[in-house]
Amino acid sequence: MTKRALVTGGSRGIGAACARALAAVGMDVSVNCAANGEKAAQVAQEIGGQAFVADVSDMTAVQEMFRRMGDIDVLVCNAGIAMQKLFTDTEPEDWRRIFSINVDGVYNTCFCAVPHMIRNHWGRIIVISSIWGRIGASCEVAYSASKAALIGFTQALSKELGPSGITVNCVAPGVIDTDMNSVLPDETLEELKASTALMRIGTPEDVANAVAFLASERASFITGQTLGVDGGFPC
Ligand code: NAP
């Protein structure tokens, strides 16, 4: 039977590549975004899926999206935002905004997706963390902490859902060429490239290939893991 998937933050960047990769292996993929409904609709049209505008930090909006979309078998929790600020400039509202999207957003979507997966005794959840969630980044304390939280979330949820035939894994990308990094000066990008064993930054497809693998039957004995897709960034 055709597997149904949802990719949050699928309008562009890593999420759009994940949506395309899952569609390419025959899944029926829904694409979510926060604001760029037209871009999400373009990706959805390209892959024969549906697009849903819903802020993942808003549980009511996420529940409404699931009501319209129906149940899914594969969930890619990719929606996220970054923030570069000194810790001393990180105001309480900055902290809450990062956590509400990057962490609450994952809780909200998993909360809505998991009951069907348990009933069906099959499911795949792939959470997009970050290299900074593993090793921390200066001037990105809130972002790094939010992405580290997702690693703990993944480990714990994988233990709880394993007996129900559901795998839960994290992918921790390194520096990937998307809008998120368009704020970085060329000099910083060159330094980041030089810090990787493979001497390059990644593409959204590099991450999507790992996500598609973890969503497949070939990954059925892998759960609770965090897979770095970072070109060999020093850890
Ligand atoms: P991006 O190009 O900035 O795209 C972000 C996506 O998330 C967009 O589709 C955006 O929707 C969506 N989004 C943002 N806030 C949302 C919300 N509240 N509700 C629903 N959707 C929301 O980002 P990216 O670089 O592809 O990153 C994707 C994920 O990978 C993020 O979780 C990020 O932290 C992680 N990551 C990225 C890198 C990197 O180097 N790029 C490295 C490590 C981890 P709209 O288009 O509507 O705004």
Side-chain angles (χ1 to χ4, degrees):
M1 219 163 93
T2 303
K3 297 272 187 279
R4 300 195 65 204
L6 168 67
V7 180
T8 67
S11 52
R12 53 202 168 92
I14 292 169
C18 290
R20 292 186 183 104
L22 295 181
V25 293
M27 292 189 195
D28 175 3
V29 185
S30 292
V31 175
N32 152 269
C33 76
N36 281 310
E38 266 183 36
K39 278 195 177 173
Q42 272 171 19
V43 176
Q45 192 183 18
E46 191 190 312
I47 61 177
Q50 281 185 287
F52 297 93
V53 177
D55 179 346
V56 292
S57 70
D58 177 349
M59 179 60 111
T60 306
V62 173
Q63 283 171 327
E64 174 60 15
M65 173 173 68
F66 271 80
R67 198 189 59 73
R68 289 166 52 215
M69 177 180 66
D71 291 326
I72 53 162
D73 311 295
V74 174
L75 171 61
V76 182
C77 295
N78 164 80
I81 58 164
M83 189 180 290
Q84 271 116 18
K85 278 191 176 184
L86 284 172
F87 178 67
T88 44
D89 291 338
T90 305
E91 300 288 343
E93 53 271 25
D94 296 326
W95 183 269
R96 276 192 293 274
R97 181 167 150 71
I98 281 270
F99 269 74
S100 70
I101 295 174
N102 292 4
V103 184
D104 296 5
V106 173
Y107 161 76
N108 290 342
T109 43
C110 287
F111 187 81
C112 292
V114 161
H116 164 77
M117 293 181 184
I118 292 174
R119 277 194 302 275
N120 209 26
H121 213 79
W122 197 95
R124 295 276 189 272
I125 298 173
I126 298 122
V127 178
I128 307 297
S129 175
S130 166
I131 179 78
W132 305 137
R134 304 178 99 180
I135 64 172
S138 171
C139 297
E140 294 197 68
V141 172
Y143 180 76
S144 300
S146 73
K147 292 296 182 177
L150 299 183
I151 295 173
F153 175 93
T154 297
Q155 288 170 328
L157 193 62
S158 69
K159 289 181 177 155
E160 191 166 322
L161 297 183
S164 298
I166 301 163
T167 67
V168 189
N169 289 290
C170 242
V171 171
V175 183
I176 308 298
D177 185 15
T178 69
D179 294 344
M180 190 171 269
N181 287 320
S182 58
V183 292
L184 296 180
D186 287 349
E187 201 177 79
T188 308
L189 280 175
E190 286 308 316
E191 281 169 18
L192 287 165
K193 268 186 209 174
S195 306
T196 66
L198 295 174
M199 302 291 287
R200 69 171 177 91
I201 61 170
T203 64
E205 290 71 28
D206 287 325
V207 182
N209 288 337
V211 167
F213 167 66
L214 290 171
S216 75
E217 285 299 345
R218 288 171 297 153
S220 61
F221 199 52
I222 301 173
T223 197
Q225 302 303 306
T226 298
L227 175 60
V229 180
D230 57 20
F233 204 88
C235 283

